[in-house]
């Protein structure tokens, strides 16, 4: 494939060439661990910020690994003879991974970045030259068809995705193919769509070079290439969610007004899911004057789906506009043009009465329940990735709570989740604490206040006694009517179960 203005790409159907190149890269320790060992933490982190000088200084030698870093990550021409000692160079030239430059040098046609899979796999993410991280502005490239590599949003989505074995998975807006690559490890069949044909080409390269099964690649926007009768067990998308005045860059600007792209994506996902299936997205949403942002997001959730929506960050409209103007490199161009574009963003927000923009995660699960549960919350605090198992367990607990009324809850047995600690806060020397806090050290790392009964209840939950018997014992200790205690405590038990502090013993 050749795109005017962009470098030609390697042939995606040369699986033999990709396999030989992969073997050579692995033999030279061109892996995530190998890079860290070679560059050191500082240069490695700088490279993730698109700063190449520390990595250039660290690769002045002529070892095979240094040669590959300069060739594929730093996009430096390397003498043909030097590369021939590391790679099947003629094969790579014929397949299009390399091109001849100058008299006796070769250069990479794509960025190839080592990426460690969740099970220790050595994968490789292919992207356009200079686009492995950051936005198009980071490399001075403004072509709307560029395909970026691994960034923070990509790894966030990969980390929150539920990784249970499934028959079918759909990656909407696949980009460089990282989500399709992850899905291929636990889905029998993977379908990936993208409006940009260059992205589909690069996804095929990512899968081939990583030794993963090929995906069903379809050109078109979001669900457009999916047949009306197709449904999936898992849908993931890191969509072009940026809320902008106009669609300038395919990889980030959705082309719809406001947050309509994210809204329509979420609303359409419900009918595309199999029973029990998950749909997981990253999204931006508007905070509109006179509207509750949580109610706005609840209105997006399709019928027949449980939902868990987590707002991770909020930016006012000026911060948001500046972020994405920098992403496109507009801050480095003509000041007059930059100001005009900034004005256009603020005009758009003012017309829509938008005061801020939220960013976060949206997870849907298709449920057969007549009463789906929709949770919308703000959680800007640190979490422990990967969170896929935490998210799956959240929806399992919803099923449990739906199936147990208060009487059944009191007959149930619970155990305290792993790595939950209790903190008591109060004045030094005081007989009783002002309040007690339960704190998680795993997953969402939540903290919640409990009363003395809740703290005592949680502390003795080891699965041996039913909730009712524990409450009866507490009532005797504190001199309270056990009937009244049984009546008022189930709500607190439900909250502790819902938030993952207590786990039902099944």
């Amino acid at each position: 494939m050749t795109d005017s203005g962009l470098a030609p790409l390697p042939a995606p159907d040369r699986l033999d060439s990709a396999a030989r190149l992969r073997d050579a890269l692995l033999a030279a320790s061109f892996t995530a661990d190998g890079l860290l060992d070679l560059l050191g933490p500082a240069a490695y982190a700088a490279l993730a910020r698109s700063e190449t000088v520390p990595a250039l200084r660290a690769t002045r030698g002529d070892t095979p690994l240094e040669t590959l870093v300069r060739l594929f990550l730093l996009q430096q021409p390397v003498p043909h003879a030097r590369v021939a000692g590391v790679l099947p160079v003629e094969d790579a030239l014929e397949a299009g991974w390399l091109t001849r430059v100058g008299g006796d040098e070769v250069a990479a046609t794509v960025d190839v970045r080592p990426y460690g899979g969740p099970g220790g796999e050595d994968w490789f993410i292919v992207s356009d030259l200079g686009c492995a991280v950051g936005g198009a502005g980071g490399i001075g490239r403004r072509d709307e068809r560029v395909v970026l590599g691994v960034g923070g949003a990509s790894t966030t989505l990969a980390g929150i995705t539920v990784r249970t074995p499934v028959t079918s998975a759909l990656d909407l807006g696949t980009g460089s193919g990282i989500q399709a690559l992850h899905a291929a490890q636990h889905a029998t069949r993977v379908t990936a769509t993208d409006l940009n044909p260059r992205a589909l080409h690069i996804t095929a390269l990512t899968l081939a070079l990583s030794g993963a099964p090929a995906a069903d690649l379809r050109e078109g926007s979001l669900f457009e290439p999916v047949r009306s009768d197709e449904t999936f067990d898992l849908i993931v998308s890191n969509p072009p969610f940026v809320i902008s005045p106009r669609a300038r860059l395919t990889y980030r600007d959705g082309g719809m007004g406001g947050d309509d792209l994210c809204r329509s994506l979420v609303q359409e996902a419900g009918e595309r899911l199999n029973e029990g299936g998950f749909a997981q997205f990253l999204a931006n949403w508007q905070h509109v004057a006179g509207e509750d942002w949580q109610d706005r997001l609840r209105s997006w959730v399709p019928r027949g789906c449980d939902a868990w929506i987590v707002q991770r960050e909020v930016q006012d409209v000026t911060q948001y506009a500046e972020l994405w103007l920098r992403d496109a490199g507009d801050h480095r161009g003509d000041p007059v043009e930059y100001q005009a574009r900034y004005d256009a963003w603020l005009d758009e927000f003012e017309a829509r009465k938008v005061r801020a923009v939220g960013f976060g995660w949206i997870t849907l699960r298709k449920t057969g329940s007549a009463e789906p549960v929709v949770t919308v919350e703000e959680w800007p605090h640190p979490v422990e990735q990967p969170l896929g198992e935490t998210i799956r367990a959240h929806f399992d607990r919803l099923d449990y709570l739906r199936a147990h009324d208060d009487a059944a809850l009191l007959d149930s047995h619970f155990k305290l989740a792993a790595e939950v600690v209790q903190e008591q806060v109060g004045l030094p020397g005081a007989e009783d604490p002002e309040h007690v806090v339960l704190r998680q050290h795993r997953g969402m790392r939540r903290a919640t206040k409990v009363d003395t009964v809740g703290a005592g209840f949680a502390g003795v939950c080891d699965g041996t006694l039913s909730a009712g018997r524990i409450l009866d014992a507490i009532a005797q200790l504190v001199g309270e009517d056990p009937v009244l205690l049984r009546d008022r405590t189930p709500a607190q038990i439900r909250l502790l179960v819902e938030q993952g502090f207590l786990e039902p013993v099944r």
Side-chain angles (χ1 to χ4, degrees):
M1 177 186 294
T2 301
D3 285 344
S4 176
L6 292 174
L9 295 173
D13 54 352
R14 287 286 306 274
L15 297 182
D16 56 340
S17 175
R20 286 191 288 272
L21 178 57
R22 172 180 170 79
D23 289 343
L25 297 177
L26 293 176
S29 297
F30 188 65
T31 64
D33 288 341
L35 278 185
L36 183 58
D37 289 342
L38 172 67
L39 301 179
Y44 189 86
L47 192 60
R49 301 190 300 269
S50 297
E51 295 291 346
T52 59
V53 172
L56 285 167
R57 292 172 60 87
T59 55
R60 290 170 172 168
D62 58 1
T63 66
L65 181 54
E66 287 171 300
T67 297
L68 293 177
V69 172
R70 293 183 74 85
L71 184 66
F72 284 115
L73 293 186
L74 304 178
Q75 278 95 58
Q76 300 293 307
V78 179
H80 181 285
R82 189 166 160 191
V83 177
V86 184
L87 301 177
V89 65
E90 297 304 324
D91 188 31
L93 284 164
E94 181 183 351
W97 294 96
L98 302 177
T99 186
R100 295 183 184 275
V101 294
D104 63 347
E105 293 183 317
V106 296
T109 58
V110 288
D111 188 307
V112 176
R113 183 165 297 260
Y115 177 78
E121 303 91 345
D122 289 314
W123 292 337
F124 300 97
I125 309 299
V126 180
S127 62
D128 272 311
L129 293 174
C131 285
V133 292
I139 46 119
R141 191 188 293 274
R142 295 174 183 238
D143 194 299
E144 65 174 14
R145 296 158 298 170
V146 296
V147 179
L148 303 189
V150 180
S154 301
T155 55
T156 294
L157 179 59
I160 68 172
T161 300
V162 175
R163 299 293 176 195
T164 53
V166 294
T167 300
S168 57
L170 173 63
D171 176 15
L172 295 172
T174 188
S176 61
I178 180 174
Q179 309 306 329
L181 178 58
H182 276 278
Q185 311 310 304
H186 63 102
T188 304
R189 183 176 70 257
V190 177
T191 301
T193 73
D194 205 289
L195 181 63
N196 183 1
R198 190 175 180 90
L200 297 176
H201 190 147
I202 283 180
T203 291
L205 297 176
T206 290
L207 295 173
L209 195 57
S210 298
D216 179 5
L217 305 176
R218 305 183 192 179
E219 183 179 344
S221 178
L222 302 177
F223 286 110
E224 285 178 4
V226 180
R227 297 192 313 270
S228 59
D229 61 341
E230 284 185 285
T231 54
F232 301 87
D233 302 310
L234 174 66
I235 300 172
V236 293
S237 184
N238 176 19
F241 53 66
V242 176
I243 300 170
S244 60
R246 62 186 65 87
R248 293 175 55 211
L249 299 171
T250 302
Y251 75 86
R252 66 164 213 193
D253 301 318
M256 297 186 187
D259 52 17
D260 285 352
L261 181 137
C262 291
R263 176 187 53 77
S264 61
L265 179 62
V266 173
Q267 290 178 337
E268 291 177 31
E271 63 185 19
R272 302 292 188 172
L273 281 175
N274 293 324
E275 193 73 21
F278 286 90
Q280 298 186 264
F281 314 108
L282 301 185
N284 275 180
W285 44 77
Q286 299 172 151
H287 285 229
V288 179
E291 293 185 20
D292 183 291
W293 69 270
Q294 293 180 318
D295 289 342
R296 179 183 182 83
L297 288 175
R298 287 189 185 95
S299 73
W300 291 9
V301 178
R303 182 174 301 175
C305 288
D306 291 327
W308 186 14
I309 302 174
V310 181
Q311 179 167 276
R312 296 287 290 159
E313 183 181 0
V314 181
Q315 291 183 317
D316 68 47
V317 292
T318 60
Q319 292 173 312
Y320 189 81
E322 290 162 14
L323 169 66
W324 295 109
L325 287 166
R326 287 195 303 272
D327 174 84
D330 291 325
H331 62 305
R332 297 194 180 107
D334 181 0
V336 175
E337 186 176 348
Y338 173 81
Q339 182 175 343
R341 284 180 173 156
Y342 199 151
D343 269 336
W345 284 69
L346 297 186
D347 285 344
E348 177 83 2
F349 285 134
E350 185 175 348
R352 295 179 176 274
K353 300 181 179 179
V354 177
R355 301 294 181 259
V357 177
F359 167 81
W361 318 324
I362 297 177
T363 299
L364 307 176
R365 187 193 56 168
K366 192 70 169 287
T367 177
S369 172
E371 298 182 3
V373 176
V374 177
T375 302
V376 184
E377 62 176 319
E378 185 165 17
W379 191 256
H381 312 294
V383 298
E384 182 191 43
Q385 284 276 36
L387 274 170
E389 179 58 23
T390 297
I391 290 174
R392 185 202 61 76
H394 168 86
F395 288 94
D396 283 351
R397 292 193 299 271
L398 290 186
D399 285 342
Y400 176 86
L401 292 172
R402 260 195 299 248
H404 290 72
D405 60 16
D406 286 356
L409 203 66
L410 293 174
D411 285 337
S412 299
H413 295 238
F414 301 93
K415 64 178 181 179
L416 193 65
E419 297 193 39
V420 172
V421 298
Q422 177 178 303
E423 300 174 357
Q424 298 188 119
V425 180
L427 294 174
E431 184 175 344
D432 296 312
E434 292 179 16
H435 59 264
V436 179
V437 175
L438 299 181
R439 188 177 301 278
Q440 301 169 348
H441 284 269
R442 304 297 300 272
M444 291 292 285
R445 295 176 173 165
R446 293 186 185 278
T448 188
K449 289 183 181 180
V450 291
D451 59 19
T452 54
V453 170
F457 179 87
V460 298
C461 278
D462 60 4
T464 58
L465 296 176
S466 70
R469 289 189 63 186
I470 293 174
L471 290 179
D472 290 343
I474 292 175
Q476 187 173 3
L477 285 173
V478 300
E480 187 168 342
D481 185 334
V483 175
L484 294 177
L485 192 61
R486 278 174 170 255
D487 188 55
R488 69 177 175 85
T489 306
Q492 190 170 189
I493 296 174
R494 286 185 181 279
L495 179 64
L496 292 175
V497 172
E498 181 182 343
Q499 294 190 344
F501 290 94
L502 294 178
E503 297 174 353
V505 177
R506 315 226 182 197

